[in-house]
């Protein structure tokens, strides 16, 4: 009898292991090949057009996917407007007056609904593809996006506040935030280098450039003070690395010369020869390795708790639940 029970426990363990594998491999690159072969090319055309109009949009679309995935998984929860039953993620601290690109996603969704002759492509998948296409458009690596995510029926401001890292985090807080999302130290370094694109507001980097004891290049700090005074001009933008519309390794070079814009960026290179320092200097000299590891980490991030199968829904309009 005891043996029989042991076997049963073993069997249950085995089955749940297979189920976990089945769930985590439920996303597939060819999910829309049959049901809507024009979906991905349509997304690509609109992303490229938006970036041609405003190169920063590539950065903004990449960030939208990150902020979606870190809050209850990649389920397009970030796209939901507030309703009477929930306050969504758009007004959470890390998102408010900061995340952008919603109109581009609306345009993509409407176009895809049209070419697919119906509502078959999820908003969460659109975010994942738009992020990849943005990286490619600005000179970064291409990789196959895994697809088949469904969209959430709710969103939570509290979850966004609790789950997104802040630029004031020290290294241990950054690492533990990433680990809570199933990502490791290499993912942290590689994905933070998404800051090879885009801009941040004075409000976000002020404390760092006026901090006498911060690890920051003196001339770099001074050069930022004119456009970011001690008070006022909160919304003035500075680029996150020296080439904000080109996906390159300049982010790593900047960190090595103490020119990281955010406190959280500079936490990844302290000049103490630690594990992060080693990765940063390695990627700064090996763009090929950065390209390939960035692709892998993006796929890993895109796999965070997707809704699949009969869970969730495909939203008709990304801003509202069906
Ligand atoms: C490691 C922790 C991270 C922190 C603390 C962080 C924080 C920030 C902050 C504070 C800004 C500027 C926001 C503003 O001024 O309104 C920003 C911008 C940006 N972030 Fe991050 N970020 C992190 C990781 C990531 C990751 C993993 C990605 C993507 C894979 C990413 C992509 C971006 C992009 C592309 C921008 C520029 C957006 C634009 O110009 O519209 N960040 N980030
Ligand atoms: C200034 O920098 C030091 C050293 O990195 C840090 O410990 C401190 O928290 C910073 N202060 C502010 C206000 O950012």
């Amino acid at each position: 009898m005891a043996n029989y029970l042991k076997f049963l426990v073993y069997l249950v363990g085995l089955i749940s292991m297979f189920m976990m594998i089945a769930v985590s491999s439920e996303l597939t690159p060819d999910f829309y090949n049959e049901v809507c072969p024009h979906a991905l090319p349509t997304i690509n055309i609109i992303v490229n057009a938006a970036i041609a109009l405003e190169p920063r949009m590539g950065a903004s679309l990449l960030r939208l996917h990150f902020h979606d995935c870190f809050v209850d998984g990649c389920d397009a929860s970030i796209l939901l407007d507030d309703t009477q039953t929930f306050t969504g993620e758009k007004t959470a601290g890390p998102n408010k007056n900061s995340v952008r690109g919603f109109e581009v996603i609306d345009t993509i969704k409407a176009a895809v609904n049209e070419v697919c002759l119906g509502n078959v492509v999820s908003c969460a998948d659109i975010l994942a593809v738009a992020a990849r296409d943005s990286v490619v458009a600005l000179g970064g690596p291409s990789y196959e996006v895994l697809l088949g995510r469904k969209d959430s029926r709710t969103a939570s401001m509290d979850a966004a506040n609790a789950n997104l890292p802040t630029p004031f985090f020290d290294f241990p807080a950054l690492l533990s935030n990433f680990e809570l999302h199933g990502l490791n130290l290499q993912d942290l370094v590689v994905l933070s280098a998404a800051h090879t694109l885009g801009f941040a507001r004075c409000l976000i980097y002020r404390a760092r450039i006026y901090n006498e004891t911060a690890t920051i290049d003196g001339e770099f700090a001074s050069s930022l003070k004119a456009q970011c005074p001690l008070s006022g001009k909160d919304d003035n933008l500075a680029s996150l690395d020296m080439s904000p519309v080109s996906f390159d390794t300049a982010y790593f070079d900047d960190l090595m010369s103490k020119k990281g814009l955010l406190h959280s960026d500079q936490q990844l290179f302290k000049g103490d020869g630690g594990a992060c320092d080693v990765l940063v200097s390695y990627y700064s000299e090996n763009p090929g390795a950065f390209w390939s590891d960035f692709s892998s980490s993006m796929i890993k991030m895109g796999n965070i708790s997707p809704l699949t199968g009969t869970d969730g829904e495909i939203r008709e309009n990304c801003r509202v639940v069906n």
Side-chain angles (χ1 to χ4, degrees):
M1 193 61 194
N3 271 338
Y4 172 74
L5 262 178
K6 265 190 209 159
F7 179 71
L8 211 66
V9 168
Y10 170 78
L11 208 66
V12 168
L14 211 67
I15 290 171
S16 60
M17 212 173 81
F18 276 113
M19 279 171 57
M20 270 158 66
I21 291 168
V23 166
S24 67
S25 62
E26 238 173 300
L27 301 182
T28 114
D30 50 11
F31 193 81
Y32 296 111
N33 285 12
E34 299 294 323
V35 65
C36 185
H38 297 304
L40 268 59
T42 302
I43 299 173
N44 185 250
I45 287 168
I46 297 170
V47 167
N48 288 343
I51 292 174
L53 210 62
E54 189 211 7
R56 184 191 178 192
M57 190 50 73
S60 306
L61 292 172
L62 174 56
R63 187 167 184 235
L64 266 188
H65 179 48
F66 161 51
H67 280 211
D68 179 32
C69 292
F70 265 48
V71 183
D72 295 332
C74 314
D75 60 359
S77 53
I78 192 171
L79 301 179
L80 288 174
D81 288 337
D82 295 352
T83 69
Q84 278 168 350
T85 51
F86 64 78
T87 304
E89 295 164 22
K90 291 179 177 181
T91 51
N95 291 334
K96 195 177 180 192
N97 300 321
S98 183
V99 283
R100 52 202 297 280
F102 297 112
E103 296 78 12
V104 175
I105 299 298
D106 291 339
T107 305
I108 292 173
K109 180 61 179 168
V112 165
N113 284 353
E114 200 161 305
V115 298
C116 298
L117 308 174
N119 179 30
V120 294
V121 180
S122 71
C123 299
D125 281 345
I126 289 174
L127 286 175
V129 174
R132 188 270 317 270
D133 289 356
S134 294
V135 167
V136 172
L138 296 172
S142 190
Y143 54 91
E144 218 169 34
V145 178
L146 299 181
L147 301 164
R149 300 170 189 80
K150 294 285 190 293
D151 302 324
S152 72
R153 293 196 176 90
T154 186
S156 158
M157 183 179 85
D158 292 341
N161 280 322
N163 280 284
L164 290 166
T166 87
F168 312 110
F169 277 2
D170 288 330
F171 172 73
L174 291 168
L175 181 61
S176 76
N177 176 282
F178 269 58
E179 286 177 340
L180 281 170
H181 293 93
L183 301 171
N184 61 29
L185 182 129
Q186 181 180 307
D187 299 315
L188 169 64
V189 171
V190 161
L191 290 174
S192 293
H195 290 175
T196 181
L197 300 176
F199 299 82
R201 291 168 298 157
C202 163
L203 180 71
I204 299 292
Y205 61 82
R206 177 184 286 126
R208 171 161 162 73
I209 64 173
Y210 288 98
N211 184 346
E212 298 291 338
T213 55
T215 309
I216 188 167
D217 176 81
E219 276 179 35
F220 175 66
S222 310
S223 73
L224 291 164
K225 289 177 184 171
Q227 54 176 28
C228 185
L230 269 167
S231 74
K233 313 246 185 207
D234 281 3
D235 292 331
N236 276 6
L237 297 175
S239 65
L240 285 159
D241 83 348
M242 53 188 159
S243 52
V245 294
S246 126
F247 193 102
D248 54 23
T249 53
Y251 172 79
F252 299 115
D253 302 336
D254 283 347
L255 296 191
M256 292 174 74
S257 46
K258 303 184 188 162
K259 293 175 182 168
L261 185 65
L262 309 183
H263 173 79
S264 53
D265 290 324
Q266 199 61 55
Q267 285 291 299
L268 304 179
F269 190 93
K270 294 182 175 163
D272 60 6
C276 280
D277 284 23
V278 171
L279 284 170
V280 168
S281 57
Y282 172 68
Y283 289 126
S284 81
E285 283 165 12
N286 294 281
F290 173 45
W291 262 227
S292 134
D293 292 347
F294 184 81
S295 301
S296 307
S297 292
M298 284 297 287
I299 291 167
K300 222 167 139 182
M301 184 175 86
N303 274 331
I304 299 177
S305 325
L307 298 167
T308 54
T310 53
D311 291 339
E313 63 180 23
I314 295 174
R315 270 179 232 145
E316 175 81 32
N317 170 344
C318 293
R319 291 174 183 267
V320 294
V321 173
N322 289 342

